Amino acid sequence: MQHQKVLVLDFGGQYNQLIARRVRDLNVYCDLKPCDMTVEAIKEYAPIGIIFTGGPNSVYDENAPHIESAVLGLGIPVLGICYGAQLIAHTLGGRVEHASVSEYGKREFSFVKLSPLSADIPEKSVCWMSHTDYVSALPQGFETLASTPTCPVTAYGDPQKRIYGVQFHPEVVHTEYGNKLLENFLYRICGAKGDWTMKNFVREQVARLKEKIGDRRVLCAMSGGVDSAVAATLVHRAVGKNLTCVFVDHGLHRKNEPEEVMSVFRDGLGMDLIKADAADRFLTKLRGVCDPEKKRKIIGAEFIKVFEEEAKKIGAVDFLVQGTIYPDVIESGKGKSAVIKSHHNVGGLPSVVDFKEIVEPLRDLFKDEVRRVGTELGLPEGIVWRQPCPGPALAIRIMGEVTCEKLETLREADYIFRDEIAKAGLARDIWQYFAVVTDSKTVGVQGDFRTYENVIALRAITSVDAMTADWARIPFDVLEKISNRITNEVKHANRVVYDITSKPPATIEWE
Ligand code: XMP
């Protein structure tokens, strides 16, 4: 079954992936594509509606992105957001002007004319603005639908042509009825049926994978992270025993992680899952190494070596499964920025595996959709809601040399941190949280004795996409409990500190 599709044309604004996620959350499939897509390509894509995103430009900038006016003559409903709204007005002969001051933040606005876009939204509500340019005159046939005292054309449209523009950002949570507005556009204007659900996705993907793979052989590197877990489970549901998974136990996982992976996937689901016990190899290679980049490179290279050895034992396969998700697909289409840290992912695997084709069953999904698919497949919460864990795992959360003793200290401290956050009901509000063993030792007094032990740092952040992050405001009483438990229950830890740095200037991980 082919589902309905909405096209989100990306004009470079910071909330663009968020728009696509909101549309998907409303059960309508959409793709985020570069704004220079041609009319022909758009026709071929056959969307039920098009959304123009915001962007950093002014329509009058020399290199500002534009659209072919024919896009607006296709008879397909269009919603322009911020820059997108200005661009529609500009393209169809309206006027856009530059304000002397930018408007940024929450604003109350009023609908001045009813239209399908404003259905079930109160006449007055709050929206989120972030702009300098504004639409000062509308093209022929268009009407003002909403305004604020400072922005006369806050929303406009032509219900006949089904083309609309909003100056504010309906996709951000600060716009009270933003979701409702997007829903109105999709369901009342574009005629969406809501056919994008994770139940449908699982059914379609399993059928597609069955057809593609048939009775041929598939190999998957299982990291324990949510992406590879969900990808492997989908493939397993489609082809069962034809899938072999390899889990490399490098001895750097969090407490109970390897056990959980084996019990869920091998014992629970009956997957053909091989565990490569390589902890000693990794620890030997890491002996005496303190430099973060060296640690990352050593772990990345050793991981590939171990995997290669396992793959050789398995022999030639037809397919290699990768847990690529939609943001990776979008990002890979963009330019590369400076390397801050050398990330270790399974990207290096293809060169060491004898296979014919890569299967990426999650390449159309955002992270939250991957989690929903995981739930749909019956995976336990601990796997579905697992936080992102860097490939080099605990090795980059131990400052300086990685030793068995420090690993043990970190595992226990990290476990207590996670346990208390879960008990406080904060697990889903905090994007990522973990403990770090710093390379400082301090003096303490425990049970009348002087101690000289490690300082444990706690790191917890909120974020949308890990590109920027803010430190999480964990209540003091929760921090107090965590600190008490760590200093009482964990060996070789006598002090706990909380990291209150955002990204930038810090990064999320310490190394
Ligand atoms: P940083 O520390 O760069 O982290 O702010 C951003 C996000 O990426 C994760 N991270 C990694 N993920 N391989 C991964 O797959 C890696 O080598 C790696 N290093 C950092 C980090 O946990 C955070 O979510």
Side-chain angles (χ1 to χ4, degrees):
M1 187 194 84
Q2 184 63 346
H3 35 250
Q4 294 178 318
K5 292 184 291 186
V6 161
L7 185 59
V8 182
L9 287 184
D10 184 353
F11 287 90
Q14 55 176 325
Y15 304 121
N16 297 351
Q17 283 201 24
L18 200 53
I19 298 176
R21 279 169 52 192
R22 294 275 183 260
V23 172
R24 301 257 195 114
D25 275 349
L26 289 162
N27 296 335
V28 181
Y29 183 81
C30 69
D31 275 307
L32 184 64
K33 300 269 191 193
C35 60
D36 56 5
M37 205 168 168
T38 62
V39 184
E40 281 314 308
I42 292 175
K43 271 204 236 161
E44 198 174 317
Y45 181 88
I48 59 164
I50 306 175
I51 296 177
F52 294 173
T53 75
N57 292 92
S58 158
V59 291
Y60 299 114
D61 287 348
E62 205 178 317
N63 295 317
H66 286 275
I67 39 144
E68 296 173 62
S69 56
V71 174
L72 297 168
L74 291 172
I76 301 171
V78 178
L79 173 67
I81 294 174
C82 197
Y83 179 79
Q86 295 158 11
L87 186 64
I88 294 172
H90 176 72
T91 308
L92 296 179
R95 197 167 60 236
V96 173
E97 281 180 59
H98 203 62
S100 53
V101 275
S102 301
E103 188 173 32
Y104 185 80
K106 290 183 185 176
R107 290 286 181 277
E108 190 183 69
F109 76 101
S110 316
F111 281 109
V112 293
K113 183 146 200 329
L114 293 182
S115 77
L117 199 63
S118 57
D120 300 330
I121 302 181
E123 187 194 328
K124 280 185 195 308
S125 65
V126 170
C127 67
W128 178 260
M129 295 275 200
S130 172
H131 68 115
T132 310
D133 286 6
Y134 63 99
V135 176
S136 59
L138 286 168
Q140 219 175 8
F142 284 78
E143 295 174 292
T144 297
L145 302 177
S147 30
T148 74
T150 48
C151 180
V153 185
T154 298
Y156 68 81
D158 179 342
Q160 232 63 50
K161 287 202 184 83
R162 300 188 297 171
I163 296 178
Y164 295 85
V166 288
Q167 183 52 65
F168 56 87
H169 288 272
E171 70 278 17
V172 306
V173 287
H174 311 295
T175 297
E176 269 181 297
Y177 291 90
N179 227 23
K180 187 75 207 162
L181 186 136
L182 289 173
E183 185 186 321
N184 286 342
F185 176 67
L186 297 169
Y187 285 83
R188 292 176 186 268
I189 297 167
C190 303
K193 295 205 253 322
D195 57 7
W196 176 248
T197 63
M198 293 306 110
K199 204 183 208 67
N200 287 346
F201 173 83
V202 169
R203 199 178 41 221
E204 284 168 29
Q205 263 311 313
V206 168
R208 207 174 288 169
L209 288 164
K210 245 185 207 154
E211 191 183 306
K212 180 173 180 144
I213 299 169
D215 56 6
R216 290 181 289 170
R217 295 197 63 197
V218 198
L219 180 63
C220 177
M222 177 91 95
S223 69
V226 53
D227 301 342
S228 66
V230 172
T233 310
L234 264 178
V235 175
H236 181 252
R237 190 170 276 196
V239 302
K241 284 285 173 204
N242 290 357
L243 168 73
T244 303
C245 291
V246 175
F247 173 68
V248 176
D249 184 358
H250 46 37
L252 306 167
H253 288 107
R254 287 173 290 196
K255 184 168 169 163
N256 295 342
E257 239 169 37
E259 293 79 6
E260 189 182 17
V261 167
M262 296 315 285
S263 100
V264 169
F265 297 100
R266 188 189 56 192
D267 308 338
L269 291 177
M271 264 187 206
D272 178 16
L273 173 58
I274 298 166
K275 178 155 158 282
D277 291 311
D280 290 345
R281 284 175 63 165
F282 281 84
L283 281 178
T284 308
K285 284 264 152 107
L286 287 169
R287 197 169 291 152
V289 180
C290 296
D291 179 71
E293 275 302 286
K294 273 198 193 130
K295 282 188 199 171
R296 283 173 172 273
K297 295 239 160 74
I298 289 171
I299 295 166
E302 196 62 17
F303 185 91
I304 290 180
K305 253 196 223 159
V306 174
F307 196 85
E308 184 175 20
E309 288 166 22
E310 294 302 323
K312 271 202 186 121
K313 287 184 212 159
I314 295 162
V317 293
D318 301 285
F319 300 94
L320 180 69
V321 181
Q322 295 214 316
T324 317
I325 67 171
Y326 197 52
D328 306 330
V329 176
I330 299 173
E331 288 311 316
S332 65
K334 296 185 178 162
K336 284 270 162 284
S337 44
V339 175
I340 310 287
K341 297 176 185 181
S342 45
H343 273 207
H344 147 74
N345 292 58
V346 287
L349 288 184
S351 59
V352 298
V353 179
D354 187 2
F355 74 104
K356 297 197 189 85
E357 209 181 314
I358 286 184
V359 238
E360 297 172 314
L362 310 178
R363 56 177 289 128
D364 287 337
L365 303 188
F366 284 108
K367 193 85 179 185
D368 26 1
E369 292 175 311
V370 174
R371 294 197 207 278
R372 273 161 44 210
V373 169
T375 305
E376 187 65 42
L377 290 166
L379 291 177
E381 284 231 338
I383 300 274
V384 169
W385 286 96
R386 177 156 291 171
Q387 300 167 49
C389 185
L394 299 191
I396 54 163
R397 294 176 181 172
I398 289 173
M399 305 303 97
E401 188 185 4
V402 179
T403 62
C404 284
E405 189 183 286
K406 282 194 207 161
L407 270 170
E408 203 39 44
T409 302
L410 179 53
R411 270 196 195 106
E412 294 305 319
D414 189 64
Y415 183 75
I416 290 171
F417 190 11
R418 286 195 277 149
D419 187 41
E420 289 300 331
I421 291 292
K423 282 184 187 151
L426 297 171
R428 295 200 186 169
D429 301 332
I430 306 176
W431 207 82
Q432 199 174 5
Y433 51 98
F434 51 86
V436 169
V437 175
T438 68
D439 49 4
S440 290
K441 284 192 164 198
T442 60
V443 173
V445 51
Q446 286 171 303
D448 296 337
F449 290 102
R450 176 189 188 272
T451 56
Y452 185 56
E453 294 290 6
N454 298 299
V455 178
I456 303 293
L458 304 176
R459 178 73 161 145
I461 56 103
T462 53
S463 176
V464 176
D465 53 10
M467 302 297 284
T468 60
D470 195 8
W471 57 279
R473 270 51 170 183
I474 298 178
F476 283 172
D477 55 336
V478 178
L479 287 172
E480 183 184 11
K481 251 187 232 158
I482 297 164
S483 164
N484 281 341
R485 278 192 64 192
I486 291 178
T487 46
N488 276 303
E489 297 173 31
V490 181
K491 274 198 205 133
H492 307 299
N494 69 356
R495 194 178 292 263
V496 177
V497 296
Y498 189 51
D499 182 349
I500 52 165
T501 333
S502 58
K503 170 184 179 175
T507 53
I508 295 173
E509 301 289 343
W510 272 40
E511 284 197 338

